[in-house]
Amino acid sequence: MDTILPSEIKERLHRGEQLAIIDVREDEEVAAGIIPGAIHIPLAQLPERLTEIPQADEVILVCRSGARSGRALGFLEAQGYQGLKNMTGGMLEWED
């Protein structure tokens, strides 16, 4: 499984890169904060919302700790998606 560090994402966003980020947390978790530009698709809704996932060279998956986004990555790989990365540590490691 490909991973990416929260600090790397922050640096790339700071440089102005447009990143494809999917946040698979639940609504109440996202209400506490979300990475700027991220698309919110709760894990359980992924199967019916596949069309909302960008066709990009790299898609970063985010959750609270990295576990659900890891499951999302496995599911999306099985659907044929490529270039997927799991943000290590999830939003617990994301510091504003």
Side-chain angles (χ1 to χ4, degrees), residues 7 45 51 56 82:
S7 58
Q45 295 178 20
T51 57
Q82 298 178 350

Side-chain angles (χ1 to χ4, degrees), residues 21 51 55 69 75-76 95:
I21 302 172
T51 57
Q55 294 294 327
S69 51
F75 171 76
L76 292 172
E95 301 166 9

Side-chain angles (χ1 to χ4, degrees), residues 35-52:
I35 296 172
I39 300 168
H40 176 224
I41 304 175
L43 181 61
Q45 295 178 20
L46 269 183
E48 63 263 20
R49 294 179 65 186
L50 288 175
T51 57
E52 295 176 49

Side-chain angles (χ1 to χ4, degrees), residues 2 18-20 22 35 43 60-61 71 78-79 81 86:
D2 259 352
Q18 295 295 313
L19 302 177
I22 306 295
I35 296 172
L43 181 61
I60 300 165
L61 298 156
R71 290 200 302 274
Q79 307 307 309
Y81 284 84
N86 187 15

Side-chain angles (χ1 to χ4, degrees), residues 77-90:
E77 277 186 338
Q79 307 307 309
Y81 284 84
Q82 298 178 350
L84 301 167
K85 290 188 179 175
N86 187 15
M87 186 175 89
T88 57

